[in-house]
Amino acid sequence: MELDDLKRTWQESKSQVQSNSSINIEMMEKMKDKYRLKLRKITLSEIVGSVVCLASAMFIAANFDKLDTPLLLGAGVLSILLLLALPLISLFSTRQLSKVGDFEKPYADTLKVFANEKIKFIRLQKINVTLSYLLLIIMIVLVSGLFSDKDIFSNKYYWILSIPLGYIFLLFYSKWVRNYYHKVLQESEELLKELPL
Amino acid sequence: MDKKEKFITALKANEASIYKIASVYTSDAEDRNDLVQEIIYQLWKSFDTFSHKSSITTWIYRVAMNVAIYHLKTAKRKVQTVTIDDQVLNLNEVEHADQEARWHLLRHSIDQLNLLDKGIVILYLEDRSYEEIAEIIGISSSNVGTKLSRIKEKLRQQISKQVS
């Protein structure tokens, strides 16, 4: 099949779409509300995540008196800070991505903004993932102070299960994140190289 | 003719192009229809500011392709993860199996291109002149020519790989 055939295929499907035309004034009237609803849905998932983090931070703060050793106190303070920082980073990066640009500017300019924002987004997500690792490790320590009257540190089963499971999870998760973001980052950087200055 | 009627007339004349642009940047029919609605909404919102410096068709292409990029951002979609089966425009639009196979081949080949090449090739398939492509994309006409010959070569390789 040659390129001319492909062009013909494109043109043929064009005439068929035209015969099934569906755009009308009523559709235009309904469109505005639907579009707004969609934007709200995107932010809702971010808000739910933030509320969970905030609730966890408040729970730790409310039970701060149970943290009676310097290690547990340090873990408590750090986890609260991380639980506040993680949703802030996530909300900030999503907000950057959701910014509405000027739709009338040249396509190449939009692509430049898109590729740069994507690179920034990936960098922020990498910071987020690193901080999440840290939070997971701190939480393993913190759980012993928050959910048990007796010292979990002395419970060998706690360590036998939590450390290897946490490590395996982190290993696979970090590998997946690295591979996924590496590909997206590479695509964005290659795209930027092709765009005119 | 009032503003709304003028807009609908311009839209009807370019509706097929909008649908096809949307189908190139999305992965299934539902997503495509969402994008078509977003494009029409943005066109309607910007209709007052349309300055007539370029033709209405050039303006529609530009807005549609920019909205498609914005849609990729908000939908957090990967650029090149398209399943071919979902890509066909409503199949009652493409009746013959042969046509359908050719459309699949075309879509799959375009999906292998990066976003810049994708934009250029859409406009080439839409039979736009080099000058118009240059105006919509924001690069020089000579650059369009250079890029198009490279894109055609890529597509040729893609097609022969798929056909064999």
Side-chain angles (χ1 to χ4, degrees):
Chain A
M1 187 189 260
E2 277 303 312
L3 288 170
D4 285 343
D5 294 326
L6 293 182
K7 203 166 185 175
R8 208 166 37 245
T9 304
W10 183 273
Q11 297 296 335
E12 279 165 4
S13 66
K14 184 172 191 165
S15 58
Q16 279 149 347
V17 173
Q18 260 159 349
S19 65
N20 283 323
S21 180
S22 59
I23 295 168
N24 53 48
I25 290 176
E26 289 73 35
M27 182 180 161
M28 298 278 310
E29 298 291 340
K30 289 177 189 164
M31 216 165 272
K32 203 172 175 182
D33 294 335
K34 198 182 169 191
Y35 188 74
R36 277 187 181 162
L37 199 71
K38 199 178 164 207
L39 281 179
R40 213 180 300 142
K41 251 194 244 173
I42 295 165
T43 30
L44 190 70
S45 63
E46 304 295 333
I47 290 167
V48 168
S50 307
V51 167
V52 169
C53 282
L54 196 66
S56 307
M58 283 166 73
F59 176 79
I60 295 167
N63 291 283
F64 214 73
D65 55 321
K66 289 184 183 173
L67 309 174
D68 47 8
T69 65
L71 179 68
L72 287 174
L73 278 171
V77 171
L78 259 178
S79 61
I80 289 172
L81 289 176
L82 287 172
L83 283 165
L84 295 176
L86 287 170
L88 280 179
I89 293 172
S90 178
L91 282 173
F92 176 73
S93 57
T94 311
R95 201 174 164 175
Q96 289 290 107
L97 266 191
S98 308
K99 266 186 193 168
V100 180
D102 171 12
F103 294 118
E104 293 177 69
K105 65 184 173 190
Y107 180 72
D109 290 358
T110 305
L111 282 185
K112 256 184 255 176
V113 174
F114 175 69
N116 279 318
E117 282 180 358
K118 205 151 201 183
I119 290 169
K120 267 188 221 162
F121 176 75
I122 290 165
R123 285 186 184 143
L124 279 171
Q125 287 303 101
K126 278 184 173 174
I127 293 172
N128 235 4
V129 169
T130 312
L131 292 179
S132 303
Y133 291 168
L134 191 62
L135 182 65
L136 191 79
I137 293 162
I138 292 168
M139 283 309 233
I140 291 173
V141 176
L142 203 61
V143 161
S144 70
L146 290 176
F147 294 106
S148 178
D149 292 334
K150 60 179 181 180
D151 188 9
I152 285 186
F153 285 113
S154 58
N155 186 337
K156 64 178 178 182
Y157 296 110
Y158 177 75
W159 294 110
I160 286 169
L161 282 174
S162 64
I163 298 293
L165 283 178
Y167 182 75
I168 290 166
F169 170 75
L170 286 182
L171 194 74
F172 283 101
Y173 185 60
S174 61
K175 204 173 172 187
W176 176 79
V177 167
R178 199 178 54 233
N179 290 343
Y180 174 72
Y181 283 134
H182 180 70
K183 192 169 172 270
V184 182
L185 193 67
Q186 216 171 22
E187 280 171 5
S188 302
E189 283 170 347
E190 274 166 19
L191 183 63
L192 273 179
K193 271 185 223 159
E194 285 218 22
L195 291 166
L197 292 169
Chain B
M1 198 189 277
D2 71 353
K3 180 190 154 193
K4 203 175 264 179
E5 282 171 350
K6 268 187 201 167
F7 179 73
I8 296 282
T9 307
L11 206 58
K12 289 260 184 201
N14 293 282
E15 190 181 9
S17 302
I18 293 172
Y19 266 92
K20 279 194 289 177
I21 288 170
S23 90
V24 168
Y25 288 92
T26 52
S27 55
D28 56 48
E30 193 192 344
D31 204 17
R32 185 199 69 208
N33 292 338
D34 274 358
L35 177 55
V36 167
Q37 294 209 350
E38 280 178 35
I39 290 171
I40 297 169
Y41 173 69
Q42 289 302 338
L43 284 168
W44 174 240
K45 240 176 82 176
S46 316
F47 195 55
D48 282 335
T49 57
F50 170 54
S51 58
H52 297 275
K53 280 179 192 160
S54 56
S55 74
I56 185 89
T57 304
T58 302
W59 177 75
I60 287 176
Y61 278 119
R62 192 180 265 192
V63 173
M65 288 164 67
N66 284 333
V67 175
I69 296 297
Y70 170 72
H71 183 79
L72 283 177
K73 289 201 305 177
T74 52
K76 293 181 184 171
R77 291 199 164 69
K78 282 165 75 182
V79 177
Q80 292 174 355
T81 53
V82 177
T83 49
I84 302 167
D85 288 347
D86 295 331
Q87 278 311 301
V88 197
L89 293 169
N90 295 330
L91 272 183
N92 56 357
E93 299 160 6
V94 184
E95 288 174 44
H96 306 293
D98 182 43
Q99 265 183 306
E100 191 188 325
R102 286 208 310 262
W103 175 253
H104 278 312
L105 187 62
L106 175 61
R107 276 300 328 274
H108 187 73
S109 309
I110 295 174
D111 283 336
Q112 308 310 310
L113 302 172
N114 70 30
L115 286 171
L116 179 63
D117 292 351
K118 207 180 255 190
I120 294 172
V121 87
I122 289 171
L123 297 168
Y124 161 78
L125 292 168
E126 285 285 305
D127 237 359
R128 297 291 113 193
S129 68
Y130 279 21
E131 286 71 27
E132 267 181 292
I133 298 177
E135 195 185 340
I136 295 163
I137 301 286
I139 56 178
S140 66
S141 300
S142 58
N143 206 349
V144 171
T146 316
K147 283 194 180 294
L148 256 180
S149 30
R150 217 182 56 205
I151 295 167
K152 283 179 189 172
E153 189 47 45
K154 277 187 201 169
L155 285 177
R156 227 173 253 126
Q157 283 172 6
Q158 275 296 326
I159 292 163
S160 57
K161 205 192 285 177
Q162 285 177 69
V163 170
S164 64

